[in-house]
Amino acid sequence: MLSRAGIRVAQVRCKRSSGRSAWEAVRSAVEVLRDAGVVALVNDRVDWALLSGADGVHVGDEDLPPAEARRLLGPDRLVGVTVRGAGARAAAAAGASYVGLGPVFATRTKEVPAPVLGVEGLRREVRESPLPVVAIGGIGVATVAEVARAGVHGVAVASDLWAGGTPRSRVEALHRGFLLGETRSP
C-alpha cells in the first residue's frame, strides 16, 4: 500500500494531456490515492480538484492565483503554491496551506530550467517561511537526507522514482533517507 511505503501526500499531474481522457485519469488516480489513505492533490487544475473530490490543489505561476483557488476550494482543502526563493509570505497572505520551494537542484521536469537554490538557500528560505515547506526540484535518494536537514516538512520527487529498482523500493529508500535527515537536523 502507498501509505505503508511512506507516501503521505501525492500530487496528480497531467502536464502533457488535456480533455476527457486526462480528466478520467485524474479522477481515477484521486480515487486510488484516497482509498489508500494518501492525501490527493491535483496539480494546476482547481476545477479538477473540486470535481474529483481531491484534498486540494497545487498551483504555480501560470495557474489560477492562490487567492482564487482558496476562494473556490474553501477553507478545508489544501492549497499549495510553487515559489522560487522568497514568496512564501505572499502565498500565505493569499491563503496557501504550504509552499513548494525550489528548485533545490537541477531538474528535468521543467521545460525552462530555473536557477537552483541549493541546500543552503533552501535552509535560509525555510527559516523565513510562515508556511510549511515542501522542497522541490531534483531531489532523490542520494540527496533527500541533506534536504530534510534543511528543516523542510516534506519533499516532492518525480524523476527519481524511476531511477532504478521499483517505484515502491525508491519510495521506501526516500522515506528512510528523509527520516534519517530529520533525526540529524539542527
Side-chain angles (χ1 to χ4, degrees):
M1 187 176 271
L2 297 168
S3 59
R4 281 187 287 196
I7 297 175
R8 295 185 190 130
V9 179
Q11 185 182 112
V12 181
R13 296 172 53 113
C14 257
K15 287 288 199 184
R16 293 182 179 92
S17 302
S18 61
R20 181 174 285 186
S21 62
W23 155 243
E24 289 172 356
V26 167
R27 186 184 65 211
S28 294
V30 167
E31 186 176 312
V32 167
L33 292 168
R34 304 269 328 257
D35 288 349
V38 174
V39 173
L41 303 175
V42 174
N43 192 61
D44 301 337
R45 299 289 304 259
V46 176
D47 55 343
W48 288 2
L50 280 166
L51 292 170
S52 68
D55 298 293
V57 69
H58 187 94
V59 294
D61 295 338
E62 297 178 9
D63 303 320
L64 197 62
E68 294 303 316
R70 170 58 66 213
R71 186 175 66 79
L72 291 170
L73 289 173
D76 297 330
R77 292 193 188 178
L78 296 170
V79 174
V81 179
T82 300
V83 297
R84 311 276 180 240
R89 291 196 189 290
S97 309
Y98 72 93
V99 292
L101 180 63
V104 179
F105 306 110
T107 178
R108 297 183 313 240
T109 62
K110 297 292 181 189
E111 291 177 20
V112 179
V116 298
L117 279 172
V119 175
E120 285 308 311
L122 175 65
R123 182 174 284 114
R124 184 177 50 253
E125 295 300 331
V126 167
R127 280 193 302 261
E128 298 295 320
S129 178
L131 294 171
V133 173
V134 174
I136 61 175
I139 299 162
V141 171
T143 57
V144 70
E146 179 183 19
V147 170
R149 283 191 290 276
V152 298
H153 290 78
V155 295
V157 178
S159 300
D160 194 72
L161 294 177
W162 314 105
T166 65
R168 181 184 177 115
S169 69
R170 297 300 284 185
V171 167
E172 290 169 344
L174 286 159
H175 189 239
R176 284 191 305 274
F178 190 87
L179 293 175
L180 178 64
E182 277 188 323
T183 61
R184 294 186 179 171
S185 292

